[in-house]
Amino acid sequence: MSEFDQSQKEFWSGNTNLRTYDHPVVEAFARQRIDFIRGLLGANIGSCLEVGCGDGFGMYYMQSLGSVFGCDISRPMLSRNPLRRSVSEADIYHLPYADKSFDLVYCWEVMHHVRNIQDAIREMMRISRRYILMYEPN
């Protein structure tokens, strides 16, 4: 693991987001993305995996498009996720899923926390049957 990735893991092992998934600002932000995804990929995507799901900002609202699972390196973030039964602890370079496990593999604002973006994308491609989607503001 690179020094950068290790520092991210250490930071998120002791921190969480300020706002929860059901905060009105978070909800408005998430619903805009869901509407965009629905317009892009349709209303019933199938199985989805959110890589870097954290405390559920995306997962909670993505349920309207299919069955949603998530993974993250941060136990504190996962413990705040409203869909805790559907999450696992994992890093983006070694996702614990078989090849072509999900119709959509996506991440919201994760890549700026990752040192080797190409390896992360390759791993997401490995477990996707159909789509890869990344939202990144940076």
Side-chain angles (χ1 to χ4, degrees), residues 26-38 108 135:
V26 173
E27 181 179 358
F29 180 76
R31 290 199 185 279
Q32 287 177 335
R33 288 191 176 175
I34 300 305
D35 290 345
F36 176 79
I37 294 168
R38 186 177 286 114
W108 289 13
Y135 277 100

Side-chain angles (χ1 to χ4, degrees), residues 25-129:
V25 171
V26 173
E27 181 179 358
F29 180 76
R31 290 199 185 279
Q32 287 177 335
R33 288 191 176 175
I34 300 305
D35 290 345
F36 176 79
I37 294 168
R38 186 177 286 114
L40 187 66
L41 303 179
N44 186 8
I45 295 170
S47 61
C48 306
L49 174 72
E50 182 172 348
V51 178
C53 67
D55 50 15
F57 278 27
M59 283 183 70
Y60 183 78
Y61 298 98
M62 283 292 288
Q63 293 179 93
S64 65
L65 298 179
S67 58
V68 182
F69 302 88
C71 62
D72 201 289
I73 60 169
S74 171
R75 284 185 189 174
M77 294 282 274
L78 290 172
S79 72
R80 291 180 53 169
N81 192 307
L83 304 176
R84 279 186 285 286
R85 290 187 211 118
S86 300
V87 300
S88 61
E89 187 176 344
D91 78 66
I92 198 168
Y93 303 116
H94 306 97
L95 298 170
Y97 308 100
D99 295 355
K100 301 188 183 326
S101 294
F102 300 94
D103 294 306
L104 168 65
V105 179
Y106 69 97
C107 59
W108 289 13
E109 302 177 18
V110 170
M111 291 302 171
H112 63 276
H113 296 288
V114 173
R115 178 67 173 173
N116 192 330
I117 293 170
Q118 289 176 333
D119 285 350
I121 293 171
R122 250 190 299 280
E123 185 65 354
M124 291 171 66
M125 289 172 61
R126 178 185 69 76
I127 62 171
S128 175
R129 276 190 290 267

